[in-house]
Amino acid sequence: MKETIHTSSKIVIFGRVVDDLTVSVSDADKTAGKDPKFARAYGFTFDGIYLELASPVLFLVDGNGEEADDIALPGPNPRDKKFYADLRAWIVDRSNETVRLDVDSGKFENLLPDTGGDGGAGVSGARVSGARVSGARVSGARVSGARVSGARVSGARVSGARGDASD
C-alpha cells in the first residue's frame, strides 16, 4: 500500500475467509463487481498500529483479500509460521459500512441468559469514548484496543487476557 496523506484513513483487517458461510449477492453488487464474504478477523492495523482482537469476530469483507505478506503496514508476527501461512488482509476505509458477527456457541441454557437484562453480559461491539463511570458494576464485558489512565478498579476479575502491564 502506497503511503499517502490519506493512508491514516485506511484500516487493514487480518483474517481468513469463512468457507462454510455464504452471502447472497444482489444483482447490483454483481454488476458493481462486489464479492462479499465473511472473514474471521484476528486483528487489525489502525493508524499504523497493529491490534490483536481479544477473540476473533466475523466481518463482511469484499473478496478474498491479499496475502498478509503483501501489506506494508504493521501486522501479525510473520515468525508464527503456522498462523501466518494462509492469513489474508483486507484494506478498508474507516468509513466503509460492514457487518460484524460475534460467534458464541454452547447450550441454550447458558447462552440465552447472556443476551440481555440488567446490563449484564451480552453487550458486544460497543464503543465508548470520553465516558466517566462512577459506582457502576460491569460484568461480561470485552474491551480491545483500549488505553486507560488515572482509573481505579477494585474487585475486578480478568480471564483470558494476554499481554503484560506494558500493554
Side-chain angles (χ1 to χ4, degrees):
M1 183 166 82
K2 188 175 178 183
E3 184 74 26
T4 70
I5 193 142
H6 299 289
T7 300
S8 64
S9 72
K10 302 295 181 192
I11 297 172
V12 182
I13 307 290
F14 292 93
R16 292 183 180 87
V17 171
V18 177
D19 295 321
D20 58 350
L21 187 61
T22 59
V23 178
S24 295
V25 181
S26 69
D27 290 336
D29 282 345
K30 286 179 188 172
T31 303
K34 302 241 181 209
D35 185 20
K37 297 178 184 223
F38 278 101
R40 178 169 284 114
Y42 299 101
F44 60 97
T45 298
F46 183 83
D47 279 342
I49 300 169
Y50 176 71
L51 300 164
E52 189 174 300
L53 293 167
S55 63
V57 295
L58 302 180
F59 280 106
L60 186 65
V61 295
D62 188 29
N64 290 317
E66 303 175 38
E67 288 187 26
D69 288 356
D70 296 342
I71 303 299
L73 287 172
N77 188 345
R79 289 180 292 203
D80 186 354
K81 301 234 184 271
K82 277 181 140 177
F83 174 74
Y84 203 79
D86 57 348
L87 198 65
R88 309 296 294 175
W90 292 266
I91 300 171
V92 298
D93 193 82
R94 64 175 64 191
S95 64
N96 287 4
E97 294 282 329
T98 189
V99 174
R100 173 183 164 161
L101 299 176
D102 293 79
V103 179
D104 204 353
S105 63
K107 297 179 182 178
F108 280 107
E109 65 187 352
N110 297 333
L111 296 176
L112 284 173
D114 287 345
T115 59
D118 249 340
V123 177
S124 67
R127 286 187 292 177
V128 178
S129 168
R132 181 180 291 172
V133 178
S134 174
R137 188 182 120 226
V138 178
S139 65
R142 284 189 189 154
V143 178
S144 67
R147 293 179 194 262
V148 178
S149 65
R152 190 184 91 199
V153 177
S154 65
R157 190 181 97 215
V158 177
S159 63
R162 289 192 276 171
D164 59 26
S166 66
D167 283 7

